[in-house]
């Protein structure tokens, strides 16, 4: 089955607590003016206030240069440069933190620094992967390349690679940390294509208007557009994209209010995939009966968002959670007001990025560290090929080493030949960190000291070839040929071969041969024979027997799969019944039971999954199953549990979902799972996330979907306590071809069921709002929805009764011990009660609910921030320490 992945948009309004510790200065920037001398030189560029330093501490190779004076017209970092006449690949090395995300920018201005007046052409790499070719259009013109890249390791290598005769060079290299929750891709990194805002005139905006030093250019407004702006500050704090204030305070609207607003964006490459980020804020004061609502359409036919209202003076970001593409590399975005809107559409800023695929995996981080240390301890920094990743890409593998290239793991080093490298000193323990090493050749060097015992612990090591016995000739002829016991054991068991050479590097250092040859000669004769045997056998096994991991069974989820047609991504999610058996290990572990059947734990391609088997007695028809699989596989949102596969094999119908490690919210509320009490902050976060998922079903999906079974057992929590809504669409009616399928029996869960729907049998998204209101009440009160022993049976009647008693504290879960923001608590109680209004017309929309909940989260965060500042000591209490484990991505 093929699925069409449309133009989906994700709404981001979530308040991010991490932002409170956001750096406002450039302490975390790395700004290198390449070729700046001396090494410790630094200066402040006047036009940007950015402090540049020399690049000397980040690179061992290259020559410094200066452009000709007549070209010194741009910023000072372009006046000097570093060039690389030697070697094919030369790299800058940064020690950073894995998983952090950086905006990396390189600039290049040739300026006839070498007097040849010939513009060079070369490539730029990130680690083992090509980033871009560097193309310069004139001697005095600068080219700037920018990429957003998430580090996979604690180090980053930016390399310049020769592609022809000309010499690579670089003028400046700048790194800016970004919040790693922003600019998230399914795979790869993002090359900046353009970043626009809608001021009527230049200049562009950069640091320090933008704390991340992103450059924002004014969009060339066409006839149909006008720029508007406000003097009122826009709230940009609640949004983790950190849109600069100057960008947020301006926007574009259509000149003729009844016409749509259209933006044309184009990629520099037709076949490339893209990510688009749009930032919106209402920047006009709307009257009580006014609103601005519009739809967002991509390339005329794909609706990204059906009804969107920019929040008042608050930045909201919409983005494509999956890569999108178009046949000709052009993207048209149309914003059209909806029938009920009183104002034309508006947009404040837009960013478009091209996906940079990173097909080459980096070599195992520990092995790279070991190689870097070996390089340093034997002073091999100037070794021309020893630059960048040791193993990857194969074409640039370091001289003297070989690697295995397993399909699904990072590669490791299997042989290292350091013969005749003038190595001196002892044998460094760093060799022991090359855990996959099979052969090590240290022959013909000047090593001294002992034969280390750690060789015995290197399980893969089969051969230490021509190992020169350690000798110290300058002092006493004190050579220690003692073989440590553990190593001796491996030698006698033939699991390791050690070949000791007697040939010293220099004639003058020759040792009387008798000193070593006599006692060991017999043994070595044998060992040499073994060595030959090993060498031969090894060679063979490399070519024939190197077993890759078992190939992935066809039909399982392969998230990397991309079809060649750029606008259509096919993912065959279908699996067979035997695969389901295998996945669940014959239904070994039950996760839960529901109305439709049993849910089992499973493993699919190293990821955990939940497999829901539909029981035969399930009322669900085959046709509906099919329709739902198709629908669900299109709906992707970070707060909706994702369908990763399905099985349609004879009588066996199964739906396979991503696994949510922390089970459902109900278990956590009821304390069934043990563990800590969910803090108020956790609860608000979970509520806002679930609300966002539901809001997406209502407004982001085309056709809109009604969940029909919103309840705490359908809100699942992942390992970081991120909330996702589950069970949407399954066995639910939803409008197909404009008609509602109203099932004969009203579906839903008692207690959560909208009484109006129950009465009239007419379904709308407001029924979900009702159920969500009940969920909110549960989150606030931690009371059962229905309790016959309580003064009032139903939670909402009980809540009203408690409120009439006057004190909100009567209502709120006593387990919180009063640790919550009362203003926020009032707000959310009011919101919950509005949601459960008996009349569906009076209930708010989910979009409104999301906005209100975000405010509650903000209030709570502000309160916590405040109380932490006031007393660091008091924050060491139970609820806070448990919070740190719940806050997603807390650092
Ligand atoms: C810059 O920000 C960092 C962390 O955000 C802080 O530790 C440092 O003191 C700040 N430096 C200046 C000069 O404000
Ligand atoms: C974000 O970066 C931090 C380190 O700064 C890391 O611990 C965390 O796992 C990262 N989050 C993601 C989603 O990669
Ligand atoms: C160099 O840059 C200037 C200013 O941006 C531009 O006008 C000119 O066309 C560029 N030269 C070439 C050869 O592209
Ligand atoms: C605005 O657009 C409407 C609808 O297309 C059109 O009828 C009207 O003439 C336009 N107004 C102006 C001033 O161009
Ligand atoms: C914006 O303000 C108007 C007028 O006060 C109000 O009617 C509307 O609901 C607000 N919109 C949002 C999204 O909060
Ligand atoms: C406009 O608003 C009315 C009343 O709120 C609603 O019934 C109708 O469906 C809305 N129309 C559109 C196109 O959204
Ligand atoms: C190491 O390299 C040298 C010279 O390149 C070669 O003679 C020797 O056989 C190599 N050692 C191994 C173990 O392959
Ligand atoms: C050789 O031995 C002498 C005396 O033990 C010592 O001082 C010297 O540092 C040693 N040289 C090397 C290279 O290990
Ligand atoms: C030689 O090495 C062994 C084992 O490492 C050690 O016990 C012995 O003391 C060393 N001999 C000399 C003379 O250093």
């Amino acid at each position: 089955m093929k699925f069409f992945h449309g133009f989906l948009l994700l709404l981001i309004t979530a308040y991010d607590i991490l932002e409170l510790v956001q750096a406002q200065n450039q302490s975390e920037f790395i700004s290198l003016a390449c070729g700046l001398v001396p090494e410790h030189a630094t200066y402040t560029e006047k036009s940007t206030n950015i402090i540049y330093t020399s690049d000397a501490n980040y690179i061992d190779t290259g020559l410094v240069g200066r452009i000709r004076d007549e070209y010194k017209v741009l910023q000072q970092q372009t006046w000097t440069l570093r060039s690389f006449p030697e070697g094919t690949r030369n790299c800058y090395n940064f020690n950073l933190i894995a998983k952090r995300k950086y905006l990396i920018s390189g600039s290049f201005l040739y300026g006839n620094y070498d007097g040849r007046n010939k513009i060079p052409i070369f490539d730029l790499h990130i680690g083992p992967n090509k980033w871009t070719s560097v193309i310069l259009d004139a001697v005095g013109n600068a080219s700037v390349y920018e990429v957003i890249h998430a580090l996979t390791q604690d180090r980053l290598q930016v390399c310049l690679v020769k592609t022809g005769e000309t010499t690579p060079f670089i003028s400046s290299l700048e790194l800016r940390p970004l919040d790693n929750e922003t600019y998230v891709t399914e795979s790869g990194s993002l090359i900046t294509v353009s970043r626009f805002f809608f001021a009527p005139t230049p200049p562009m905006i950069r640091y320090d208007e933008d704390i991340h030093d992103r450059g924002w250019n004014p969009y060339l407004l066409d006839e149909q557009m006008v720029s508007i702006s406000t003097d009122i500050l826009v709230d940009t704090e609640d949004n983790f994209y950190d849109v600069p204030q100057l960008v947020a305070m301006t926007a574009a609207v259509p000149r003729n209010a009844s016409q749509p607003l259209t933006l044309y964006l184009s990629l520099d490459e037709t076949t490339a995939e893209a990510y688009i980020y749009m930032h919106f804020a209402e920047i006009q004061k709307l009257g009580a009966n006014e609103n601005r609502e519009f739809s967002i359409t991509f390339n005329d036919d794909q609706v990204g968002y059906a009804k969107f209202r920019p929040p008042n003076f608050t930045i909201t970001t919409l983005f494509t959670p999956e890569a999108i593409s178009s046949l000709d590399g052009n993207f048209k975005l149309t914003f059209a007001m909806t029938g009920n809107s009183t104002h034309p559409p508006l947009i404040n800023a837009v960013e478009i990025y091209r996906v940079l695929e990173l097909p080459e995996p980096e070599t195992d981080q520990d092995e790279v560290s070991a190689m870097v240390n070996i390089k340093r301890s034997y002073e091999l920094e100037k070794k021309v090929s020893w630059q960048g990743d040791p193993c990857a890409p194969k074409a640039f593998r370091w001289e003297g080493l070989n690697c295995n290239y397993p399909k699904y793991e990072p590669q490791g080093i299997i042989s290292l030949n350091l013969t005749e490298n003038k190595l001196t000193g002892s044998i460094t323990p760093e060799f022991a960190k090359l855990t996959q090493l099979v052969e090590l050749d240290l022959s013909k060097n000047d090593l001294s000291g002992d034969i280390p015992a750690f060789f015995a612990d290197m399980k893969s090591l089969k051969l230490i070839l021509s190992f020169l016995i350690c000798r110290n000739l300058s002092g006493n002829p004190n050579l220690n040929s003692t073989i440590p016991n553990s190593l001796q054991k491996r030698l006698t068991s033939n699991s390791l071969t050690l070949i000791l050479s007697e040939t010293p590097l220099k004639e003058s250092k020759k040792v009387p041969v008798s000193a070593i040859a006599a006692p060991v000669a017999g043994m070595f004769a044998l060992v040499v024979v073994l060595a030959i045997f090993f060498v031969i056998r090894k060679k063979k096994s490399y070519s024939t027997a190197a077993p890759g991991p078992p190939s992935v069974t066809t039909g399982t989820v392969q998230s990397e799969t991309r079809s060649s047609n750029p606008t259509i991504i096919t993912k065959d999610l279908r699996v067979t019944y035997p695969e389901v058996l295998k996945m669940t290990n014959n239904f070994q572990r039950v996760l839960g039971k529901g109305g439709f059947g049993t849910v089992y734990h499973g493993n699919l391609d190293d990821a955990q999954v939940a497999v829901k088997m539909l029981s035969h007695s399930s009322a669900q028809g085959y046709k509906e199953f099919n329709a739902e699989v198709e629908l669900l596989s299109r709906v992707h949102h970070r707060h909706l549990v994702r369908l990763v596969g399905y099985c349609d094999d004879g009588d066996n119908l199964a739906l396979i979902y991503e696994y949510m490690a922390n089970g459902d919210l109900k278990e956590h509320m009821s304390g069934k799972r043990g563990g800590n009490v969910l803090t108020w902050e956790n609860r608000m976060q979970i509520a806002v996330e679930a609300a966002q998922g539901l809001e997406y079903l209502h407004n982001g999906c085309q056709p809109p979907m009604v969940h029909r079974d919103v309840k705490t057992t359908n809100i699942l929590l992942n390992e970081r306590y991120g909330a996702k809504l589950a069970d949407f669409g399954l066995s639910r009616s939803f409008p197909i071809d404009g008609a509602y399928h109203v099932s004969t029996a009203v579906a839903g869960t008692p207690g959560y069921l909208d009484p109006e729907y129950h009465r009239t049998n007419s379904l709308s998204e407001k029924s979900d709002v009702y159920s969500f209101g009940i969920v909110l009440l549960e989150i606030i009160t931690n009371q059962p929805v229905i309790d016959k022993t309580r003064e009032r049976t139903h939670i909402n009647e009980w809540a009203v009764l408690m409120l009439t008693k006057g004190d909100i504290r009567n209502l709120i879960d006593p387990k919180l011990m009063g640790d919550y923001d009362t203003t926020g608590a009032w707000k959310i109680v009011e919101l919950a009660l509005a949601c459960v209004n008996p009349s569906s017309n009076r209930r708010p929309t989910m979009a409104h609910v999301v906005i209100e909940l975000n405010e509650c989260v903000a209030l709570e965060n502000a309160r916590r921030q405040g109380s932490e500042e006031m007393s660091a000591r008091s924050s060491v209490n139970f609820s806070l320490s448990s919070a740190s484990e719940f806050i997603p991505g807390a650092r």
Side-chain angles (χ1 to χ4, degrees):
M1 192 188 275
K2 287 185 176 162
F3 296 115
F4 178 72
H5 284 256
F7 177 65
L8 300 161
L9 287 174
L10 219 60
L11 172 75
I12 283 290
T13 53
Y15 192 89
D16 185 21
I17 188 166
L18 304 180
E19 287 314 290
L20 295 172
V21 292
Q22 185 64 57
Q24 299 288 338
N25 58 40
Q26 41 175 318
S27 61
E28 288 193 285
F29 287 11
I30 295 176
S31 312
L32 304 181
C34 304
L36 182 66
V37 284
E39 257 176 48
H40 52 265
T42 134
Y43 70 88
T44 302
E45 164 59 38
K46 296 281 181 307
S47 60
T48 54
N49 274 333
I50 291 171
I51 303 161
Y52 286 89
T53 58
S54 166
D55 60 341
N57 291 326
Y58 298 92
I59 194 153
D60 296 319
T61 54
L63 304 174
V64 302
R66 292 191 142 260
I67 63 171
R68 295 289 167 109
D69 285 348
E70 64 262 41
Y71 299 111
K72 289 185 181 169
V73 289
L74 299 177
Q75 292 171 349
Q76 195 183 332
Q77 72 270 22
T78 64
W79 299 2
T80 57
L81 53 84
R82 181 175 294 269
S83 67
F84 302 94
E86 274 197 65
T88 313
R89 174 170 72 165
N90 284 276
C91 300
Y92 282 85
N93 293 285
F94 299 96
N95 290 322
L96 301 166
I97 299 164
K99 292 193 176 157
R100 285 204 69 171
K101 192 167 272 179
Y102 284 85
L103 179 70
I104 306 168
S105 136
S107 23
F108 304 84
L109 195 158
Y110 168 63
N112 196 18
Y113 76 92
D114 55 1
R116 292 183 191 169
N117 217 8
K118 183 164 187 282
I119 298 173
I121 176 161
F122 51 91
D123 283 352
L124 206 53
H125 286 212
I126 292 189
N129 291 288
K130 180 174 167 183
W131 163 7
T132 182
S133 291
V134 174
I135 314 278
L136 303 163
D137 49 31
V139 171
N141 279 14
S143 291
V144 179
Y145 296 90
E146 201 179 88
V147 67
I148 294 178
H149 177 68
L151 267 56
T152 52
Q153 306 193 339
D154 287 343
R155 73 179 75 244
L156 170 73
Q157 289 167 330
V158 178
C159 307
L160 291 104
V161 177
K162 222 180 231 175
T163 52
E165 293 302 304
T166 52
T167 300
F169 76 94
I170 182 165
S171 308
S172 75
L173 185 56
E174 306 182 33
L175 269 58
R176 316 289 184 230
L178 294 176
D179 186 318
N180 59 1
E181 305 287 337
T182 61
Y183 305 108
V184 175
T185 66
E186 289 191 305
S187 71
S189 292
L190 293 175
I191 288 187
T192 311
V193 178
S194 40
R195 194 180 292 116
F196 291 120
F197 72 124
F198 295 93
T201 51
M204 71 173 281
I205 286 175
R206 211 191 141 167
Y207 184 77
D208 49 359
E209 274 88 13
D210 188 317
I211 57 169
H212 300 295
D213 194 21
R214 288 163 297 188
W216 300 81
N217 290 296
Y219 187 88
L220 197 60
L221 299 172
D222 62 24
E223 299 279 276
Q224 272 73 10
M225 269 180 223
V226 285
S227 168
I228 58 170
S229 62
T230 177
D231 297 334
I232 300 171
L233 284 189
V234 174
D235 183 355
T236 57
E237 299 286 311
D238 292 6
N239 175 297
F240 35 60
Y241 282 86
D242 296 318
V243 176
Q245 200 51 246
L246 283 177
V247 169
M249 285 162 62
T250 60
V253 293
R255 188 177 291 279
N256 180 342
S258 52
Q259 294 288 324
L261 184 67
T262 310
L263 297 183
Y264 296 93
L265 303 169
S266 81
L267 291 188
D268 39 7
E269 252 179 52
T270 53
T271 53
E273 299 194 297
Y275 280 83
I276 296 178
Y277 298 84
M278 291 173 275
H279 308 286
F280 301 92
E282 178 59 71
I283 57 167
Q284 290 181 328
K285 280 188 176 151
L286 301 185
N289 295 319
E290 297 179 329
N291 70 67
R292 189 192 301 277
E293 184 180 82
F294 51 91
S295 64
I296 304 170
T297 312
F298 167 60
N299 285 2
D300 292 325
D301 52 4
Q302 295 183 45
V303 177
Y305 229 85
K307 289 185 263 176
F308 178 69
R309 291 186 183 196
N312 294 335
F313 295 95
T314 304
I315 275 284
T316 289
T317 299
L318 282 178
F319 63 94
T320 48
E322 292 181 348
I324 57 166
S325 51
S326 78
L327 290 171
D328 58 1
N330 290 324
F331 294 83
K332 179 182 178 192
L333 292 166
T334 310
F335 307 85
M337 63 197 262
T338 61
N340 278 348
S341 181
T342 58
H343 282 71
L346 138 168
I347 181 163
N348 303 63
V350 61
E351 301 174 69
I352 181 164
Y353 295 88
R354 177 156 64 74
V355 176
L356 172 65
E357 296 293 351
L358 305 168
E360 291 276 352
E362 287 166 281
T363 300
D364 182 87
Q365 161 139 356
D366 295 337
E367 306 223 345
V368 180
S369 305
M371 284 311 300
V372 167
N373 292 338
I374 289 168
K375 179 169 147 184
R376 192 173 306 129
S377 45
Y378 295 122
E379 291 170 7
L380 299 171
E381 280 95 347
K382 300 280 178 214
K383 244 175 122 61
V384 173
S385 81
W386 281 34
Q387 291 278 323
D389 191 288
C391 299
K394 263 187 204 166
F396 297 130
R397 190 166 63 208
W398 291 11
E399 186 196 315
L401 58 77
N402 202 353
C403 312
N404 57 1
Y405 292 94
K407 230 175 178 168
Y408 299 107
E409 289 157 43
Q411 56 269 17
I413 295 157
I414 52 172
S415 77
L416 179 57
N417 188 343
L418 287 174
T419 190
E420 286 190 271
N421 266 295
K422 304 196 173 76
L423 311 187
T424 56
S426 61
I427 295 167
T428 162
E430 293 293 328
F431 287 115
K433 295 183 187 156
L434 302 174
T435 55
Q436 303 180 51
L437 200 62
V438 178
E439 286 178 10
L440 175 64
D441 189 340
L442 295 172
S443 61
K444 303 185 188 160
N445 287 304
D446 262 350
L447 292 165
S448 55
D450 300 335
I451 299 175
F454 64 70
F455 282 140
D457 300 325
M458 295 174 70
K459 295 285 177 283
S460 306
L461 194 63
K462 291 286 190 315
L463 176 69
I464 315 172
L465 191 65
S466 307
F467 190 102
L468 179 68
I469 289 193
C470 331
R471 57 187 72 207
N472 177 346
L473 296 159
S474 54
N476 343 338
N478 179 15
L479 68 101
N480 191 346
S481 63
T482 313
I483 294 172
N485 282 344
S486 51
L487 193 55
Q488 188 64 57
K489 266 192 208 135
R490 280 199 63 188
L491 294 176
T492 40
S493 71
N494 287 344
S495 65
L496 182 74
T497 305
L498 171 68
I499 301 178
L500 300 181
S501 154
E502 304 150 34
T503 324
L505 189 59
K506 291 179 205 130
E507 284 305 304
S508 62
K509 290 189 175 180
K510 196 153 199 155
V511 168
V513 171
S514 58
I516 33 174
V520 290
M523 181 181 129
F524 287 139
L526 175 69
V527 171
V528 171
V529 175
L530 279 174
I532 292 164
F533 169 74
F534 271 109
V535 172
I536 293 167
R537 218 194 58 183
K538 276 270 55 108
K539 289 240 164 80
K540 253 177 125 176
S541 72
Y542 288 163
S543 55
T544 57
S551 61
V552 179
T553 32
T554 49
T556 55
V557 187
Q558 293 184 30
S559 55
E560 313 292 277
T561 313
R562 290 262 154 87
S563 81
S564 50
N565 180 341
T567 53
I568 295 174
I569 301 161
T570 40
K571 287 185 187 173
D572 194 357
L573 306 184
R574 187 170 178 164
V575 301
T576 63
Y577 187 61
E579 279 163 349
V580 170
L581 289 176
K582 190 165 151 240
M583 198 183 295
T584 58
N585 202 2
N586 290 320
F587 301 121
Q588 198 179 31
R589 196 173 135 204
V590 175
L591 294 174
K593 282 196 166 72
F596 313 103
T598 311
V599 185
Y600 300 91
H601 179 266
N603 283 300
L604 181 58
D605 294 349
D606 300 332
Q608 300 189 76
V609 291
V611 181
K612 178 184 274 180
M613 297 302 300
L614 302 188
S615 68
H616 299 294
S617 58
S618 160
Q620 202 174 31
Y622 181 70
K623 211 171 146 194
E624 275 114 325
F625 169 82
N626 246 347
E628 279 156 16
V629 166
E630 180 136 8
L631 191 72
L632 287 180
S633 51
R634 289 198 284 117
V635 177
H636 294 194
H637 186 278
R638 67 201 304 206
H639 298 306
L640 296 174
V641 171
R642 184 168 181 156
L643 186 77
V644 296
Y646 70 96
C647 166
D648 174 5
D649 195 343
D651 277 349
N652 298 301
L653 301 182
L655 293 170
I656 303 161
Y657 298 97
E658 67 179 300
Y659 176 67
M660 299 291 286
N662 271 312
D664 67 55
L665 176 59
K666 176 135 194 162
E667 290 172 320
H668 284 275
M669 294 304 303
S670 63
K672 244 194 225 162
R673 280 214 161 221
N676 297 320
V677 176
L678 287 173
T679 61
W680 185 253
E681 186 185 15
N682 303 149
R683 296 180 198 206
M684 293 305 102
Q685 195 62 41
I686 289 167
V688 80
E689 290 179 1
Q692 282 171 354
L694 196 53
E695 194 270 343
Y696 183 75
L697 288 180
H698 291 178
N699 295 333
C701 289
Q702 193 70 295
M705 289 177 69
V706 180
H707 187 294
R708 283 216 321 179
D709 203 8
V710 175
K711 54 182 175 181
T712 40
T713 47
N714 279 339
I715 295 172
L716 304 187
L717 304 174
N718 67 14
E719 66 292 343
R720 297 193 309 157
Y721 288 81
K724 299 192 185 200
L725 202 55
D727 242 5
F728 49 102
L730 181 61
S731 161
R732 310 280 171 267
S733 28
F734 40 81
I736 298 176
D737 310 321
Y740 282 101
H741 293 248
V742 179
S743 54
T744 44
V746 171
T749 304
Y752 292 92
L753 193 60
D754 171 12
E756 188 180 286
Y757 165 47
H758 190 78
R759 208 171 52 243
T760 63
N761 221 4
S762 97
L763 182 67
S764 81
E765 68 265 26
K766 289 292 178 68
S767 301
D768 282 349
V769 175
Y770 180 91
S771 313
F772 191 77
I774 301 294
V775 168
L776 283 181
L777 287 176
E778 269 183 282
I779 292 177
I780 301 163
T781 63
N782 198 9
Q783 285 278 330
V785 176
I786 303 217
D787 181 356
K788 296 223 163 76
T789 65
R790 199 166 47 196
E791 234 176 317
R792 290 280 194 278
T793 307
H794 193 266
I795 191 167
N796 94 44
E797 296 159 352
W798 177 83
V800 172
L801 178 73
M802 286 296 135
L803 274 188
T804 57
K805 293 187 178 168
D807 192 344
I808 194 164
R809 278 172 293 183
N810 295 333
L811 192 65
I812 295 181
D813 184 2
K815 286 205 179 113
L816 289 167
M817 322 261 259
D819 190 9
Y820 49 82
D821 168 65
T822 334
T823 322
W826 269 112
K827 209 175 165 79
I828 189 172
V829 169
E830 280 167 10
L831 181 65
L833 292 177
C835 289
V836 299
N837 194 303
S839 160
S840 64
N841 285 335
R842 299 216 173 142
R843 295 174 202 153
T845 62
M846 280 315 292
H848 183 83
V849 172
V850 169
I851 288 165
E852 292 280 317
L853 285 173
N854 269 316
E855 283 171 19
C856 297
V857 170
L859 286 171
E860 175 63 11
N861 283 332
R863 183 184 73 89
R864 278 186 184 268
Q865 193 66 8
S867 67
E868 274 168 46
E869 273 162 19
M870 261 185 286
S871 157
R873 186 165 281 274
S874 77
S875 71
V876 192
N877 63 25
F878 170 72
S879 60
L880 264 185
S881 55
S882 66
S884 65
E885 137 194 349
F886 290 132
I887 300 163
R891 44 182 166 203

